[in-house]
Amino acid sequence: MKLLRLAPENTKFPFMRFRRVSYPFSALLSLIAVALFVFKGMNFGIDFAGGTVIELRAKSGAAEVGTLRTMGENLHLGDIEVQAFGNPADATLRFGLQPGGDVAQQAAVERVRDAVGAYYDLRRVEVVGPRVSNELVQSGTLGVVLSIIAVLSYLWFRFEWQFAIGAVIATMHDLLLTVGFFSITQLEFNTTSIAAILTIVGYSLNETVVVLDRIRENMRKYKKMATAQMVDMSINAVLPRTIMTATTVMLALFALVAFGGQVIRSFSIAMIWGIFVATYSSIFICSPMLIYLGLRNEDADKAAAQSHETERKAATAASAKDEAAEAPSAAPTAPPATTEKTPAPARKAAGKRAKTRPA
């Protein structure tokens, strides 16, 4: 049975030729992402911006979270969070701050009361601040920094220091572009989005380590090969695996976008962007960085290049020599004369032998 292949085998695409284009392009995108975050900002959800939480209890039976969410979305109060808690009859409904201050916020509470009052009792109404406090932000930042240091240390001891720096730069590149994507699309940024960012970081590191591992393997096998050529060979070797992995993940994410609903919509869209960016950075950001950081001695690369050029010239000269030897001569040689004259000394000797012969 023939297996499905999304990429041809034994590709020889020169990825490293585009490193002089990919780096300025990525640097420009990173600067745009930072500018968007500073000047345009993010569309923070209830978890970050705060809002009103209403505790509900069903008058009969269990609380239906899906029905409550649909009723809340029909009120057009912005982002709505509905969660079940405690016993099956209890649920919480949470919506963000309304434009217009406290008066608009109280009016929104009354609209919710009118919509669900026939089926649920409003046990508690409370205005809450952002769920993510300054202490949590500091703890999260510290955790990200420590994780980057841990990855740097692992890759340093597992591979080479150039590999570690290249992986961290590619990961930071993915984080910047993902933040810029949230800013330019104004998708809701909440705790689910944080989960998406952390998942993107893990996927990016996984793709990067796969490429780096193949590069390290080829470094041992092809010691005289130029670095750029060796990196291209390694990327082409893992290209079918990379395309297959990205495609399967994308199919699952598109299904979540289509059928997952509004709750995980921002997560799914951010993940689609993150998978694309992570695949791009593992090939065009991390791998070329190994060349710029001097993964191999430049003299060795020059010697390998000169040796390759010498072999190419020798092969060309040998081919030209063989072609010249096989080519027919320009003018054919004249055929030898059919009559031959006897040399003069030979005629004299023959005459003497005839005179001395007896009668």
Side-chain angles (χ1 to χ4, degrees), residues 83-100:
Q83 294 178 343
F85 80 100
N87 60 59
D90 292 337
T92 59
L93 188 147
R94 182 186 174 108
F95 56 89
L97 298 175
Q98 302 298 309

Side-chain angles (χ1 to χ4, degrees), residues 28 44 46 52 96 120 142 168-169 209 230 240 244 256 317 339 347 359:
L28 178 62
F44 292 108
I46 303 173
T52 299
Y120 295 88
L142 180 61
V168 170
I169 291 176
V209 169
M230 183 265 297
M244 181 66 73
L256 289 178
T339 58
R347 290 197 303 269

Side-chain angles (χ1 to χ4, degrees), residues 21-68:
V21 178
S22 63
Y23 269 87
F25 177 70
S26 297
L28 178 62
L29 290 182
S30 300
L31 292 176
I32 293 175
V34 173
L36 287 172
F37 176 76
V38 172
F39 297 105
K40 189 174 183 179
M42 311 278 283
N43 180 22
F44 292 108
I46 303 173
D47 300 329
F48 291 90
T52 299
V53 59
I54 302 176
E55 185 178 329
L56 305 172
R57 172 165 289 181
K59 294 181 178 181
S60 62
E64 298 181 1
V65 176
T67 304
L68 281 173

Side-chain angles (χ1 to χ4, degrees), residues 14-17 19 162-163 211-212 214-216 218-219 222-236 286-306 308:
F15 292 99
M16 293 302 102
R17 288 186 180 180
R19 66 181 186 271
Q162 294 95 336
F163 289 75
V211 176
L212 294 182
R214 184 55 63 92
I215 291 176
R216 185 188 62 169
N218 287 335
M219 282 178 60
Y222 306 98
K223 297 182 178 180
K224 295 184 179 180
M225 184 180 293
T227 305
Q229 184 179 359
M230 183 265 297
V231 172
D232 280 337
M233 180 193 304
S234 304
I235 296 175
N236 282 284
C286 180
S287 301
M289 183 60 64
L290 303 178
I291 300 176
Y292 293 126
L293 293 176
L295 180 61
R296 284 178 171 176
N297 187 6
E298 294 182 359
D299 295 337
D301 279 350
K302 292 180 180 179
Q306 292 178 357
H308 178 73

Side-chain angles (χ1 to χ4, degrees), residues 342-356:
T342 305
R347 290 197 303 269
K348 292 181 180 180
K352 290 180 177 180
R353 285 197 299 270
K355 289 180 180 179
T356 54

